[in-house]
């Protein structure tokens, strides 16, 4: 910092205004979180007040207890967690396998196949909604189906219905390919000379170098899996399979004015991803720059 | 490593045995490596795209067999006021959402790009909403948009404005959705713009400043043109997202009041999955997908014309 700001009156006013704007925006961005937290801890009588009570005078955990007893929120939580984790594992594994092959192995049609896979990013989710539902429903030998996919409900109302369609997203493949291309190529030759198998080269040499990329992709995939809504709404009609997002939504319909438990449930739904974000925010922001436009 | 294995010169015929054995080995392994990802692509992207087109020419309600009806679904679409309403609502939403998104995210990125203390903290705070789910966000905001006890109207009351009943009035419901989606989408676009800004060469500003260009001129003639690709990316992603608006409209207003926030995807969802008109819903999905494709191609074309000139 060799160029120090000279504090002329004009500069002071300008800088104050500049920070005032930033603080205002930050307040707007943070306000809903604060309001959700504050409401979730207020006793019912204090929720609806005019003027607003910004800081809870009395604290209660009742709404959290209610959130888990009015609806089987624990079950929803388990469902969402299992599906989000399965999604992460599948995407990390399949995405890095394919990404490695597209980045480092030479084979005929490599570019064409990669472009095809990448093109799925351009297919809007709304077109595949109905056909994918039908494909899952008529999956052979699943959920009471016969060979031709008749008879049962296929993979509907199972974790597979969420995990399978997104198990190797185009973004995961693209992201890992970009990362593998930044790693030195010589390692592969050296390892081959030493007689390592291709799978071993991938697993023991290149994959361990991917720590940051895998962490980033894992966080993104977890976030996406945790937040899935419309698709869950379509493939699950068994109440036992509801996700937290569906639970939240069902909540706001059934208990229309019960804002205390609803806000408590919202805290519970938001918390896992927020915690992951706060621990890994360096990865988050860097990887958007990395995968974004350049 | 330098001597072994021997580097095959690039002019050597591709039939050198050692080389081709390695290549064959590599392709075999590559096939094994990409098969899971490509199989999933075939079953859950390529096949559904074809099936969607096929279904759009049929009547299908899951319970009875598929019946071919030709163009009947598309014919019916022409007079479907609800679907038209859904598309118009989405267009209206996009017309507000996309420009606001560009202006806000670019100006906030510019603000964060200045070398001042505290920028990391602000960046974190601005990005925070992007990690919450659209459902949780919509739920919280529904509470904040309450007429009498809502934070939004209370805040407006402080500066002497009588706030409307946001979600219950057909005039304001869509604005509420715009606010929520902006709040949630800003963070990632700010970061994308920050990445773009880091790629603008510093010497351009120095040269321009030497030539006496004002900060405004520097912004207009250096920053904006170099960020063209970034802006294109943000516009493109925002548009494609806007066309598929669903979650917030479903949670905050259930498409109402009086269809004021029903969206195209909302119509497809309710036709396909609550009324089981899957053929008809497929036709709607195909039309929407074509619209998205046209917008994509058009914006790519415009982008090329502008940057390629």
């Amino acid at each position: 910092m060799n160029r120090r700001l000279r504090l002329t009156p004009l500069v002071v006013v300008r800088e104050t205004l500049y920070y005032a704007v930033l603080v205002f925006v930050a307040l707007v961005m943070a306000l809903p979180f604060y309001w959700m937290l504050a409401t979730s801890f207020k006793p019912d009588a204090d929720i609806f007040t005019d003027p607003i009570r910004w800081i809870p005078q009395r604290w209660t955990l009742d709404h959290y207890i209610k959130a888990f007893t009015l609806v089987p929120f624990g079950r929803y939580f388990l469902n969402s967690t299992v599906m989000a984790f399965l999604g992460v594992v599948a995407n990390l594994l399949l995405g890095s396998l394919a990404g490695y092959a597209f980045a480092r192995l030479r084979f005929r049609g490599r570019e064409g196949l990669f472009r095809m896979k990448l093109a799925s990013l351009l297919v809007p989710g709304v077109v595949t909604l109905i056909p994918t539902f039908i494909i899952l429903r008529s999956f052979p030998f699943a959920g009471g189906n016969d060979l031709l996919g008749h008879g049962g409900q296929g993979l509907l109302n199972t974790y597979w219905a969420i995990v399978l369609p997104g198990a190797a997203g185009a973004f995961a493949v693209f992201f890992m390919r970009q990362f593998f291309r930044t790693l030195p190529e010589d390692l592969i030759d050296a390892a081959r000379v030493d007689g390592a198998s291709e799978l071993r080269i991938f697993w023991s040499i290149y994959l361990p170098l991917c720590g940051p990329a895998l962490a980033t992709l894992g966080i993104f995939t977890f976030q996406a899996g945790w937040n899935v809504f419309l698709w869950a709404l379509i493939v699950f009609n068994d109440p036992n399979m509801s996700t937290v997002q569906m639970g939240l939504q069902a909540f706001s319909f059934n208990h229309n004015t019960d804002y205390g438990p609803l806000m408590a449930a919202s805290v519970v739904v938001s918390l896992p991803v927020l915690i992951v974000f706060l621990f890994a925010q360096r990865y988050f922001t860097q990887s958007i720059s990395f995968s974004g436009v350049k | 490593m330098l001597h072994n294995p021997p580097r095959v010169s690039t002019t050597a015929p591709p039939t050198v045995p050692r080389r081709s054995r390695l290549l064959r080995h590599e392709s075999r392994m590559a096939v094994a490596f990409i098969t899971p990802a490509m199989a999933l692509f075939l079953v859950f992207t390529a096949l559904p795209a074809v099936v969607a087109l096929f279904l759009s020419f049929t009547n299908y309600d899951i319970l009875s067999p598929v019946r071919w009806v030709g163009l009947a679904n598309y014919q019916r679409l022409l007079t479907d006021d609800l679907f038209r309403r859904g598309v118009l609502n989405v267009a209206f939403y996009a017309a507000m959402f996309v420009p606001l998104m560009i202006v806000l995210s670019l100006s906030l990125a510019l603000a964060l790009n200045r070398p001042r203390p505290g920028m990391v903290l602000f960046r974190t705070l601005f990005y925070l909403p992007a990690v919450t789910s659209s459902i949780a966000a919509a739920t919280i905001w529904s509470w904040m948009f309450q007429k009498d006890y809502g934070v939004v109207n209370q805040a407006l009351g402080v500066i002497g404005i009588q706030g409307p009943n946001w979600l219950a009035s057909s005039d304001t419901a869509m604005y509420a959705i715009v606010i929520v989606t902006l709040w949630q989408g800003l963070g990632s676009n700010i970061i994308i713009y920050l990445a773009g800004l880091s790629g603008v060469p510093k010497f351009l500003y120095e040269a321009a400043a030497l030539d006496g260009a004002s900060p405004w001129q520097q912004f207009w003639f250096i920053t904006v043109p170099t960020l063209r690709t970034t802006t294109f990316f943000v516009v493109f992603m925002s548009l494609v997202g806007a066309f598929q608006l669903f979650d917030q409209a479903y949670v905050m207003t259930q498409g109402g009041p009086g269809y004021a926030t029903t969206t195209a995807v909302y119509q497809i969802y309710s036709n396909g999955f609550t009324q089981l008109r899957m053929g008809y819903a497929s036709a709607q999905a195909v039309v929407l997908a074509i619209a998205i494709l046209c917008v994509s191609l058009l914006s790519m074309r415009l982008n090329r014309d502008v940057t390629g000139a």
Side-chain angles (χ1 to χ4, degrees), chain B residues 13-75:
Chain B
T15 45
V16 177
R18 191 186 148 67
R19 185 71 168 172
S20 76
R21 197 151 18 101
L22 177 60
L23 273 180
R24 252 208 321 275
H25 170 71
E26 267 186 49
S27 2
R28 256 204 315 275
M29 290 317 294
V31 168
F33 278 23
I34 67 168
T35 297
M38 293 315 280
L40 286 164
F41 163 76
L42 278 182
V43 178
F44 293 112
T45 306
L47 180 63
V50 178
V51 172
L53 191 65
F54 167 75
L55 279 177
S56 75
F57 297 110
T58 69
N59 269 356
Y60 183 53
D61 61 2
I62 298 196
L63 310 167
S64 38
V66 176
R67 196 160 47 84
W68 184 266
V69 295
L71 287 170
N73 285 330
Y74 291 96
Q75 227 157 16

Side-chain angles (χ1 to χ4, degrees), chain B residues 199-214:
Chain B
V200 183
K202 290 258 182 322
F203 69 84
L204 285 180
Y205 292 112
E206 283 156 16
L210 278 180
D211 288 343
S214 69

Side-chain angles (χ1 to χ4, degrees), chain A residues 15 18-19 29 33 35-36 39 48 50 106-107 117 131 137 192 198 223 227 245 253 259 277 281 285, chain B residues 19 25-26 30 37 48 62 111 114 116-117 124 127-128 130-133 140 143 146 149 151 183 254:
Chain A
E15 291 298 303
Y18 164 72
Y19 272 103
M29 294 314 231
F33 295 108
W35 197 235
M36 159 180 83
T39 309
F48 297 99
D50 193 8
R106 289 159 298 178
F107 57 97
K117 178 79 193 170
R137 187 175 177 274
R192 275 187 192 144
E198 222 54 48
Q223 189 192 355
N227 291 346
Q245 312 296 344
F253 277 149
Y259 277 100
F277 165 67
Q281 57 149 315
T285 46
Chain B
R19 185 71 168 172
H25 170 71
E26 267 186 49
I62 298 196
R114 300 174 77 203
R116 293 285 185 283
T124 306
Y127 189 69
L128 214 51
V131 292
T132 45
S133 76
I140 302 161
W143 163 221
Q146 280 276 311
Y149 304 102
V151 173
W183 176 80
Q254 288 91 54

Side-chain angles (χ1 to χ4, degrees), chain B residues 270-288:
Chain B
S270 74
N271 266 313
F273 296 100
T274 58
Q275 302 175 51
L276 295 183
R277 295 187 213 141
M278 296 224 159
Y280 186 49
S282 294
Q284 295 182 320
V286 168
V287 168
L288 184 63

Side-chain angles (χ1 to χ4, degrees), chain B residues 92-170:
Chain B
F92 178 66
Y93 165 79
M96 279 187 296
F97 176 78
V98 177
L100 278 171
M101 178 54 93
I102 301 301
V103 171
L104 288 175
S105 55
L106 176 56
S107 29
L108 288 172
L110 284 170
L112 290 181
N113 201 37
R114 300 174 77 203
R116 293 285 185 283
M119 289 309 114
V120 176
L121 177 68
F122 282 118
R123 193 169 5 167
T124 306
L125 280 170
F126 293 0
Y127 189 69
L128 214 51
V131 292
T132 45
S133 76
S134 47
I135 304 306
T139 309
I140 302 161
W141 278 92
S142 303
W143 163 221
M144 302 204 339
F145 276 124
Q146 280 276 311
K147 182 168 181 286
D148 297 318
Y149 304 102
V151 173
V152 176
N153 279 359
Q154 297 251 1
L156 287 176
V158 171
I159 49 172
I161 299 173
Q162 165 84 51
N165 193 353
W166 289 92
L167 299 178
S169 152
S170 54

